[in-house]
Amino acid sequence: MHAMLLKKVGTPLEWTELPDPQPGAGEIRLKVTACGVCRTDLHVVDGELPNPQTPIAPGHEVIGRIDAIGPGVTGLQIGQRVGAPWLGHTCGVCPYCENNQENLCDKPLFNGYTRHGGFATAMLADARFAFPLGETGEDAALAPLLCAGLIGWRALAIAGPGKKLGLYGFGAAAHILAQVARTQGRAVYAFTQPGDVVTQDFARGLGVSWAGGSDQLPPEPLDAAIIFAPVGALVPLALKAVRKGGRVVCAGIHMSDIPSFPYRLLWEERQLLSVANLTRQDGIDFLQLAPKIGIAASVTTYPLRQANQALDDLRNGRFDGAAVLIP
Ligand SMILES: [Zn+2]
Ligand SMILES: [Zn+2]
C-alpha cells in the first residue's frame, strides 16, 4: 500500500510505500476509494493539536470497500462500501462512554490523528466505528459527509431549533449544513471573509437568505450562529449578531484566541457553546437522512499524490465546497 505520510509536524506529506496492514481482532481493512480533506487535517499537519503522533496518514472522511476482515467482526462483508469518520475508537467504559457521550471519551482514537487515516490506498478501521453506506451516491461526493457533514449536523442540534441560523465560514461544512437547514425550513445567513464575493455568490446559489462579510451584521438578529472558521475574533461578532437568548456554537477543533469582549455581548442569556467530535448515533442519523434530502456536496478532486496541493488550496481558500483525494 501507499500513503501520504506526515513524518514530522510542519513538513509536507511524503508519498511512502508501506507493507499491507493486516486487520487485528475487531478490525477491517479498507481499500480506500476517496478521502475528503478537512480543516482538521491542516491542524494535524501544522501541529496545532496536542500530542501529535508521527508518522501518521491524515484523513478522516474515508470512503472505501472492505477487502479484509479481522477475527470477531460480525455484520460486515468483503466488498461492502463503508465510511470511516474522525472518531476511530472509544474505550466503552469511561463515564462519558457510559453516558451516551462517547464523543467526549477519555481514551479515544481518531482516524488520521492518533491512528492512520485515509490519505492512503488502504487503511485499517475499528469495525464498530465504520458506517455501512449502501450503494447510492458517488464515493467522492459522499466523503465530505463523513466529517464536514457530521460535525455540522451535531453543531446544528446544539444550536437548537431556531429558524434564523448564521453560518460563519462558508466552506465544506457550511455548504452541506445550509442544505440541511433549508430542508428543515430554516433561513440561513452566510458569513464569509469580508469581500469574498465569490463565496457569497456560491452560498446564494445554495439558497441562503443572505450572504455577506463576517464584519457585517445580518439584516435581522439571528436565533443561533455556528462558527466553522478557526478564527476566535468571530466569537464576539457572532454574539453581536444573535438575539437575546440566542446561541453561538463553535464547531471547530481548533481556533485562534478569542479576543476579550464586553460582557453586554453575552448578557441577556446568550449562550456560547462548543461541539467536539461525534457519536456513532450522529453518524447513523445523518447518513440515513443525507440521501433522503439529496445533499449535493460540491467537490474538487485531487489525485492522492497531490494531497499537499489540496491542503495548500484549502489553507488559501482556492476552492468552494470540499476537496477530496482519490487514490
Ligand atoms: Zn474533519
Ligand atoms: Zn470512553
Side-chain angles (χ1 to χ4, degrees):
M1 65 166 282
H2 286 85
M4 287 297 287
L5 276 190
L6 176 70
K7 294 188 175 165
K8 185 166 174 282
V9 157
T11 63
L13 308 182
E14 293 178 38
W15 178 254
T16 308
E17 186 170 8
L18 298 166
D20 284 343
Q22 297 307 316
E27 287 186 322
I28 51 174
R29 188 176 67 201
L30 306 185
K31 185 177 188 304
V32 178
T33 55
C35 185
V37 179
C38 173
R39 186 162 292 279
T40 299
D41 297 313
L42 271 184
H43 297 318
V44 169
V45 170
D46 292 345
E48 286 168 330
L49 302 186
N51 307 316
Q53 293 179 29
T54 52
I56 190 86
H60 56 272
E61 297 179 316
V62 192
I63 309 294
R65 292 209 177 254
I66 299 172
D67 78 346
I69 296 180
V73 174
T74 54
L76 294 172
Q77 290 159 6
I78 299 284
Q80 194 172 0
R81 183 167 72 163
V82 298
W86 171 245
L87 188 67
H89 175 85
T90 55
C91 76
V93 296
C94 76
Y96 298 100
C97 282
E98 287 191 339
N99 194 35
N100 294 321
Q101 293 176 295
E102 65 179 0
N103 60 308
L104 302 178
C105 175
D106 282 334
K107 288 186 178 162
L109 290 173
F110 298 110
N111 291 321
Y113 175 36
T114 52
R115 56 181 291 161
H116 285 308
F119 286 15
T121 56
M123 91 174 243
L124 296 180
D126 183 323
R128 298 168 305 153
F129 291 81
F131 299 117
L133 292 174
E135 295 297 329
T136 305
E138 302 267 327
D139 295 333
L142 287 175
L145 302 186
L146 268 292
C147 180
L150 264 175
I151 294 293
W153 174 249
R154 187 170 177 85
L156 186 63
I158 289 179
K163 292 285 182 204
K164 293 175 188 153
L165 177 72
L167 302 177
Y168 284 77
F170 203 84
H175 100 284
I176 293 170
L177 192 60
Q179 299 174 51
V180 176
R182 284 198 59 230
T183 64
Q184 294 176 335
R186 307 191 200 218
V188 176
Y189 300 72
F191 297 83
T192 70
Q193 284 191 23
D196 184 357
V197 292
V198 172
T199 303
Q200 289 164 18
D201 283 343
F202 174 64
R204 286 188 200 99
L206 291 170
V208 305
S209 301
W210 177 90
S214 57
D215 56 343
Q216 291 175 258
L217 281 174
E220 51 258 328
L222 305 174
D223 297 315
I226 301 173
I227 302 177
F228 290 111
V231 180
L234 292 174
V235 169
L237 293 174
L239 282 169
K240 213 179 278 185
V242 298
R243 62 166 171 78
K244 290 181 280 189
R247 291 183 185 173
V248 173
V249 180
C250 301
I253 193 169
H254 172 81
M255 198 180 234
S256 55
D257 286 355
I258 301 170
S260 71
F261 56 85
Y263 175 60
R264 64 178 162 76
L265 295 184
L266 188 61
W267 165 241
E268 295 171 323
E269 300 193 351
R270 289 176 183 84
Q271 297 177 56
L272 180 58
L273 304 139
S274 73
V275 162
N277 312 319
L278 68 140
T279 65
R280 279 172 283 180
Q281 194 60 48
D282 293 329
I284 290 163
D285 293 344
F286 178 66
L287 293 169
Q288 275 178 0
L289 175 80
K292 285 187 195 139
I293 64 175
I295 288 172
S298 173
V299 300
T300 303
T301 59
Y302 298 76
L304 174 59
R305 275 176 182 259
Q306 289 177 22
N308 289 308
Q309 184 66 49
L311 287 166
D312 197 53
D313 289 351
L314 172 61
R315 188 192 302 283
N316 291 292
R318 294 198 191 103
F319 54 80
D320 278 314
V324 176
L325 302 177
I326 306 293

